[in-house]
Amino acid sequence: SIQIKSVEESKISRYIIEYTMKDWLDLIENDVVIVGAGPSGMAAAYYLAKAGLKTVVFERRLSFGGGIGGGAMLFHKIVIESPADEILREMGIKLIKAEEGVYIVDTAEFMAKLAASAISAGAKIIHGITVDDVIFRENPLRVAGVAVEWTATQMAGLHVDPIFISAKAVVDATGHDAEVISVASRKIPELGISIPGEKSAYSEVAEKLTVENTGMVAPGLYATGMAVTEVKGLPRMGPIFGAMVLSGKKVAEDIIRDLRN
Ligand code: 48F
């Protein structure tokens, strides 16, 4: 018969609290904080961690993938175009060729392997956390971290102060609402960020423009994925995801360059 090791309830509780708190103490100071575990945030986390940077992703929900899981109208396939297929191949994600340079991918596999790749590379992903503000510094003016709160606390509408997490670079990977850059633009007008908002769909140009416009928005603050379209006033592209992972890779490369200079 199977011999199952017995563990008392009090020990289970002790281990969970002890090891969670060890992690949280380690999470206070980071090279990079990424907000959002959608495709762009997880691709960025993968490349940053792979380069040896201490990287944490805070995700509001209790799941990975952001807009991947919902696909288009809940259909479980998405479209990827070259050269983003190279990134997916690197992560062991299966691609079905629809035509030259155009591939079809299962949403569940895309989410799971993006997350697994980021975690295996050394990034930490913490679920159930909402970023609701940034930390800033003057002389020189820059973003220096984020304020985090339990998503559940926010949903309950409780009046609870956040805790602060520092980072040399903060990445807004929150998708269409660009939540982190929006709060920074509102509360730190000296940063001079204006947000024109996303335009209607024009997929053919949106993919290229999104990748090209990915990068630093203000010192210490970066945009990737759909947050770029919101902040730069670019068109949306719908359920084609090449630009999301290419944008994640580009923001990682920019941060690696900036932090090494
Ligand atoms: O929306 P999302 O998937 O962002 P993305 O990486 O990709 C966009 C595509 O999914 C799709 C598209 C592509 O063609 O149009 O929409 O730009 O993922 C954003 C993640 O950020 C989380 C949110 O729950 C989601 O998982 N998020 C948003 N705001 C916060 C947050 C916040 N303030 N704090 C923590 N997580």
Side-chain angles (χ1 to χ4, degrees):
S1 69
I2 307 171
Q3 294 298 312
I4 297 182
K5 166 106 177 149
S6 66
V7 188
E8 273 177 19
E9 291 86 347
S10 57
K11 268 197 162 182
I12 300 173
S13 305
R14 175 178 297 277
Y15 287 147
I16 289 171
I17 292 169
E18 188 182 334
Y19 284 85
T20 305
M21 289 312 140
K22 275 186 187 156
D23 258 15
W24 271 105
L25 286 172
D26 190 50
L27 289 172
I28 295 170
E29 289 174 330
N30 306 279
D31 289 322
V32 188
V33 164
I34 298 173
V35 188
S40 66
M42 290 196 290
Y46 168 70
Y47 287 106
L48 287 162
K50 211 171 147 206
L53 294 180
K54 189 178 171 205
T55 304
V56 59
V57 183
F58 290 114
E59 167 54 49
R60 166 180 287 155
R61 301 192 219 164
L62 299 179
S63 56
F64 305 111
I68 299 172
M73 236 181 75
L74 299 180
F75 294 138
H76 70 278
K77 301 281 186 195
I78 52 118
V79 176
I80 287 279
E81 76 284 27
S82 64
D85 59 308
E86 288 162 22
I87 297 176
L88 276 73
R89 282 181 220 282
E90 199 176 316
M91 297 177 176
I93 299 169
K94 284 192 289 296
L95 299 147
I96 302 166
K97 188 172 167 184
E99 61 178 90
E100 201 53 50
V102 180
Y103 304 89
I104 312 300
V105 177
D106 269 17
T107 52
E109 182 174 2
F110 189 31
M111 289 192 281
K113 290 189 177 168
L114 260 176
S117 301
I119 293 166
S120 298
K124 197 102 194 165
I125 303 182
I126 310 288
H127 286 124
I129 300 289
T130 292
V131 169
D132 68 3
D133 203 351
V134 296
I135 306 171
F136 79 107
R137 290 286 180 271
E138 294 167 315
N139 307 319
L141 182 63
R142 67 192 190 278
V143 169
V146 294
V148 302
E149 186 57 270
W150 304 118
T151 302
T153 307
Q154 283 221 331
M155 289 170 79
L158 300 176
H159 186 166
V160 177
D161 262 328
I163 60 169
F164 297 109
I165 303 289
S166 71
K168 295 174 191 157
V170 172
V171 181
D172 187 332
T174 65
H176 294 264
D177 294 331
E179 291 191 24
V180 182
I181 296 170
S182 296
V183 76
S185 117
R186 196 175 70 246
K187 294 176 79 167
I188 321 168
E190 308 90 285
L191 289 174
I193 304 169
S194 67
I195 302 184
E198 176 188 288
K199 287 187 181 163
S200 296
Y202 191 175
S203 307
E204 290 148 85
V205 301
E207 289 283 276
K208 188 171 182 290
L209 288 174
T210 301
V211 180
E212 283 174 0
N213 283 275
T214 293
M216 192 190 278
V217 172
L221 182 60
Y222 295 76
T224 185
M226 291 310 289
V228 176
T229 67
E230 176 73 8
V231 171
K232 302 287 181 177
L234 307 177
R236 67 185 301 192
M237 71 292 286
I240 177 162
F241 279 72
M244 297 299 107
V245 290
L246 289 167
S247 170
K249 185 175 184 183
K250 175 161 193 298
V251 85
E253 288 167 351
D254 285 6
I255 292 169
I256 292 162
R257 182 201 59 213
D258 294 349
L259 294 189
R260 286 189 179 149
N261 281 337

